[in-house]
C-alpha cells in the first residue's frame, strides 16, 4: 500500500516510443558482421589518444561500461576491440523520418521530442489493451520495414509513458495502467523523473529523498524552500499527476554541430576556419531539411570546461550559408577572449513554420 501517495486515474492513454541504441542500430542493420559486437559511434578513438565523445553504442558495448557522452578515450580503454565508427548524420535523419512516418500513420495526435523518440496520444482507442495492440503493430512494422528495434511505454501520462519505455530496453513494451501507476513510480529512484539530473538528485539525497515515494510524501513547504515553485509540479509528477498534453508540433527546434579540437587551441586562424566548416555543415543539414532559421548561436568551451554561448536573431529567416557564416564569425569574435579553446559549436534555431523535426548533431 502507498498511503501517502495521491491516487489519480486518468482517461488518457499515452504511448512513448524510443528507438534502441539508435545511431548504432542504424549502422548495424544490413551489416551482419557487426551483429553481436560492441559498436561505438562517436569521435575517432585514435588508439586511446582521441578527443571528443561517444554519441552512443550498441548494448554489447554497454556491457563494457561504455555510455553516451563518455570521452572516446575512456571508451577505448574499456573496450579496445570495439568497432568504432564515425557518425553518419544524414543516415540517422533519414531513419528517423522513416520511423516517424510509421508513428504518424494511424493519424493520432503525435509529438516528436527528439531524433529517436515521440509520443502518441492513443486515448481515442479507448482501452489499454487496444493501445498495447497498436504498440505491438508499430514495433513489428518498424522492425520489418526498417530493421530497427524500439522500446515503448504506455501510461496515463506523458512522464510515466516516458519512464515506462525505458524500463525494458531494448525491444521492450511496458504498460502502466491507472491502478498500477503509483506502485510503478513509488520505488523508483528520483533520477528516473525526466529533468532530474545529477545536481537535483544529490540535493534531494541531502534532504533524505531517494525514491519517488519519498518525494511524493515530502513536506511541500520544505521542497518549495529548496527548489522554488517548480517543486509543486515535481511533487505532482511523483504522485503520478501530469497534465501535459501531446503537442502536435511538427518540427525541428534546432540543428546543431559541434566539434572538439585535437588539442586546445588559441590559433585564431584555425578557430575561424573550424567555425566556418561547422557553419557550412549545419547549413547543409538545414537545406537537407528544407529549413530556414532566424537564430544563430555560437558555443565556445575553453580549456577547463568554462563554456560561453552567444546568440543573434536575424530580422529574416535565412538558409544562406554565407549569412550564417558571417553571423557565426561575428558571434565568435564577441565571445573569444584569447584563451585556449577546447570545443566549438553552432546551433541554428527559430525555424520557419515549414520545420520538419528536431536534430541535435554532435561529433
Ligand atoms: P538516446 O535515446 O539517449 O540513446 P540511444 O537511442 O542510443 O540508446 P537507448 O537504447 O538507451 O535509447 O539518444 C538517441 C541518439 O542521440 C543516440 O543514438 C545518439 C544521439 N546521442 C548523442 O549523440 N549524444 C548523447 O549524449 C546522447 C545521449 C545521444
Ligand atoms: Ca533511444
Amino acid at each position: 500500500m502507498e498511503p501517502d501517495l495521491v491516487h489519480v486515474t486518468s482517461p488518457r492513454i499515452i504511448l512513448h516510443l524510443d528507438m534502441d541504441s539508435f545511431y548504432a542500430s542504424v549502422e548495424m542493420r544490413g551489416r551482419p558482421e557487426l551483429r553481436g559486437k560492441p559498436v561505438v559511434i562517436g569521435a575517432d578513438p585514435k588508439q586511446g589518444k582521441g578527443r571528443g565523445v561517444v554519441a552512443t553504442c550498441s548494448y554489447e558495448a554497454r556491457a563494457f561500461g561504455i555510455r553516451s557522452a563518455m570521452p572516446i578515450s575512456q571508451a577505448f580503454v574499456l573496450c579496445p576491440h570495439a568497432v568504432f565508427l564515425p557518425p553518419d548524420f544524414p543516415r540517422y535523419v533519414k531513419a528517423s523520418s522513416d520511423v516517424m512516418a510509421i508513428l504518424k500513420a494511424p493519424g493520432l495526435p503525435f509529438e516528436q521530442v527528439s531524433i529517436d523518440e515521440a509520443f502518441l496520444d492513443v486515448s481515442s482507442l479507448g482501452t489499454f489493451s487496444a493501445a498495447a495492440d497498436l504498440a505491438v503493430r508499430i514495433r513489428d512494422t518498424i522492425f520489418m520495414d526498417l530493421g530497427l528495434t524500439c522500446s515503448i511505454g504506455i501510461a496515463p501520462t506523458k512522464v510515466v509513458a516516458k519512464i515506462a519505455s525505458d524500463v525494458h530496453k531494448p525491444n521492450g513494451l511496458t504498460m502502466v495502467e491507472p491502478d498500477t501507476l503509483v506502485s510503478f513510480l513509488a520505488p523508483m529512484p528520483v533520477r528516473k523523473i525526466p529533468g532530474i539530473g545529477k545536481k537535483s538528485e544529490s540535493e534531494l539525497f541531502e534532504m533524505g529523498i531517494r525514491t519517488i515515494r519519498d518525494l511524493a510524501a515530502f513536506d511541500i513547504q520544505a521542497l518549495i524552500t529548496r527548489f522554488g515553485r517548480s517543486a509543486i509540479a515535481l511533487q505532482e509528477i511523483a504522485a503520478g499527476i501530469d497534465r501535459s498534453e501531446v503537442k502536435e508540433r511538427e518540427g525541428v527546434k534546432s540543428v546543431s554541430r559541434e566539434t572538439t579540437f585535437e588539442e586546445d587551441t588559441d590559433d585564431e586562424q584555425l578557430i575561424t576556419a573550424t567555425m566556418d566548416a561547422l557553419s557550412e555543415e549545419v547549413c547543409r543539414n538545414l537545406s537537407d531539411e528544407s529549413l530556414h532559421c532566424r537564430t544563430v548561436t555560437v558555443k565556445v568551451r575553453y580549456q577547463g570546461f568554462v563554456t560561453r554561448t552567444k546568440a543573434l536573431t536575424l530580422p529574416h529567416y535565412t538558409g544562406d550559408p554565407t549569412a550564417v557564416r558571417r553571423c557565426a564569425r561575428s558571434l565568435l569574435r564577441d565571445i573569444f577572449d584569447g584563451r585556449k579553446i577546447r570545443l566549438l559549436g553552432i546551433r541554428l534555431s527559430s525555424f520557419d513554420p515549414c520545420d520538419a523535426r528536431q536534430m541535435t548533431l554532435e561529433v
Side-chain angles (χ1 to χ4, degrees):
M1 234 178 55
E2 303 295 338
D4 293 323
L5 300 181
V6 181
H7 278 265
V8 180
T9 50
S10 161
R12 294 195 306 152
I13 310 174
I14 310 293
L15 183 155
H16 178 261
L17 177 143
D18 184 287
M19 300 302 293
D20 299 326
S21 54
F22 185 52
Y23 293 3
S25 303
V26 172
E27 296 296 344
M28 291 165 85
R29 67 177 171 182
R31 291 173 73 174
E33 74 277 13
L34 295 181
R35 209 166 298 149
K37 291 210 174 134
V39 172
V40 180
I41 312 298
D44 184 347
K46 303 199 170 160
Q47 299 298 309
K49 297 192 187 72
R51 305 192 8 136
V53 294
V54 173
T56 193
C57 59
S58 64
Y59 279 77
E60 291 82 356
R62 293 179 200 198
F64 291 88
I66 301 176
R67 294 289 180 271
S68 288
M70 173 183 276
I72 199 77
S73 52
Q74 193 183 343
F76 186 82
V77 170
L78 289 169
C79 186
H81 67 276
V83 178
F84 289 88
L85 297 173
D88 179 353
F89 299 114
R91 289 186 72 193
Y92 313 144
V93 169
K94 170 74 172 72
S96 170
S97 66
D98 291 344
V99 168
M100 298 306 156
I102 290 171
L103 272 170
K104 283 188 224 171
L108 296 162
F110 163 86
E111 178 183 358
Q112 184 174 351
V113 283
S114 77
I115 192 161
D116 82 329
E117 60 179 311
F119 289 103
L120 278 185
D121 187 332
V122 298
S123 309
S124 60
L125 299 179
T127 62
F128 274 77
S129 129
D133 290 346
L134 176 67
V136 169
R137 280 208 303 281
I138 289 172
R139 193 171 63 171
D140 289 351
T141 308
I142 290 176
F143 186 69
M144 303 293 283
D145 292 3
L146 308 178
L148 297 170
T149 67
C150 64
S151 295
I152 296 179
I154 299 172
T157 73
K158 281 172 80 176
V159 168
V160 179
K162 184 168 164 68
I163 295 174
S165 70
D166 196 47
V167 169
H168 292 116
K169 256 185 173 297
N171 203 26
L173 171 57
T174 306
M175 191 152 76
V176 183
E177 296 195 48
D179 58 342
T180 55
L181 179 62
V182 169
S183 55
F184 171 79
L185 286 177
M188 294 206 162
V190 283
R191 186 73 189 271
K192 292 280 175 190
I193 297 177
I196 295 198
K198 261 196 198 133
K199 189 161 163 271
S200 310
E201 183 189 37
S202 62
E203 283 184 0
L204 288 165
F205 271 23
E206 276 172 29
M207 299 169 82
I209 301 170
R210 283 170 191 273
T211 62
I212 296 183
R213 178 194 288 112
D214 298 337
L215 180 58
F218 209 80
D219 176 55
I220 186 63
Q221 283 311 326
L223 282 175
I224 292 172
T225 307
R226 187 71 176 252
F227 297 100
R229 305 297 296 171
S230 62
I232 298 171
L234 189 61
Q235 194 172 49
E236 283 190 344
I237 283 173
I241 303 166
D242 160 31
R243 295 174 198 87
S244 61
E245 291 183 4
V246 173
K247 288 184 216 80
E248 292 210 62
R249 40 154 197 214
E250 280 283 310
V252 182
K253 278 165 71 190
S254 65
V255 179
S256 59
R257 286 306 295 260
E258 55 184 58
T259 193
T260 308
F261 287 105
E262 290 303 323
E263 268 174 41
D264 297 341
T265 182
D266 54 9
D267 176 342
E268 275 189 52
Q269 226 173 338
L270 174 63
I271 293 166
T272 308
T274 305
M275 183 47 81
D276 286 353
L278 288 172
S279 303
E280 203 171 298
E281 283 185 45
V282 87
C283 283
R284 212 174 304 132
N285 293 142
L286 199 69
S287 98
D288 286 348
E289 296 298 306
S290 316
L291 295 171
H292 296 89
C293 72
R294 276 184 65 197
T295 304
V296 179
T297 307
V298 162
K299 169 159 126 183
V300 173
R301 177 167 294 151
Y302 290 103
Q303 208 164 39
F305 273 78
V306 176
T307 306
R308 287 202 58 197
T309 59
K310 188 163 186 196
L312 182 71
T313 296
L314 302 161
H316 306 289
Y317 291 111
T318 184
D320 174 17
T322 313
V324 170
R325 190 180 60 224
R326 213 179 296 130
C327 190
R329 277 192 180 198
S330 137
L331 288 166
L332 179 64
R333 264 197 306 278
D334 289 348
I335 53 176
F336 178 47
D337 61 12
R339 273 182 293 170
K340 285 199 168 179
I341 292 180
R342 176 182 174 84
L343 171 150
L344 271 186
I346 179 167
R347 184 171 76 237
L348 306 183
S349 56
S350 313
F351 294 120
D352 210 325
C354 67
D355 328 289
R357 66 196 130 258
Q358 177 181 343
M359 301 188 295
T360 300
L361 308 179
E362 193 180 316
V363 282

